[in-house]
Amino acid sequence: ERKKLESYLLHNQNNTNISVLLCLFTGIRVGELCGLKWDDIDFENGTVNISKTYYRRNQTDYITPRKTESSNRKITIPKFLAEEIKDFVDRQYGLTTEDRIFPITDRAIQKKMKQKTEQAKLKPIRVHDLRHSHIALLIEKGMQPLVIAQRVGHDSVNTTMNIYGHLYPNKQKQVADLLNAEATGEPESNLVDM
């Protein structure tokens, strides 16, 4: 499903699809996405600065600082994504660095996300599911919990492990093989990089 969504988004570019790609490849929260301004993206270094969040209450828009120190972070983005965002930015007219990149509410982006998944013939995906998908991918690719916690703005590795610990493969056999090799001098069997 993730690959189908990626392919659809990359071949059907617009404001909503770029925002969904950004969530999918960074794990940012929808409020962080909606609060991004043009000067939050450093195209030269390929980073996105997360320092604020957007929300709407009683028809009034608010942009506020992130609640915790760990929520303030710089996320390095893949080169292709930086290029996609830059291409998108270059097609915008009359924007300043203080303008929001995605001038949309969290409800509106969720509605558009529902439309996009239907168009791509995918099962329904909530915007927050993109965050979970990003974290699951990083776990699958062997990223350490500390790196993941820092990337997605968790206040501790414990938060990451409490929520996503079940996705980590059981390494008990590898530990036993490692200890056996240490004690006996025999080579480890099927030891994989931990």
Side-chain angles (χ1 to χ4, degrees), residues 138-157:
L138 296 180
I139 291 169
E140 179 185 313
K141 297 297 182 185
M143 288 287 115
Q144 296 297 315
L146 177 60
V147 173
I148 295 170
Q150 291 168 337
R151 184 170 181 87
V152 299
H154 285 160
D155 55 354
S156 76
V157 173

Side-chain angles (χ1 to χ4, degrees), residues 29-36 50-55 62-67:
R29 299 168 180 97
V30 69
E32 294 168 339
L33 172 80
C34 293
L36 286 175
I50 306 296
S51 62
K52 55 197 157 303
T53 193
Y54 164 91
Y55 65 96
Y62 299 93
I63 294 180
T64 60
R66 296 299 305 139
K67 289 186 271 185

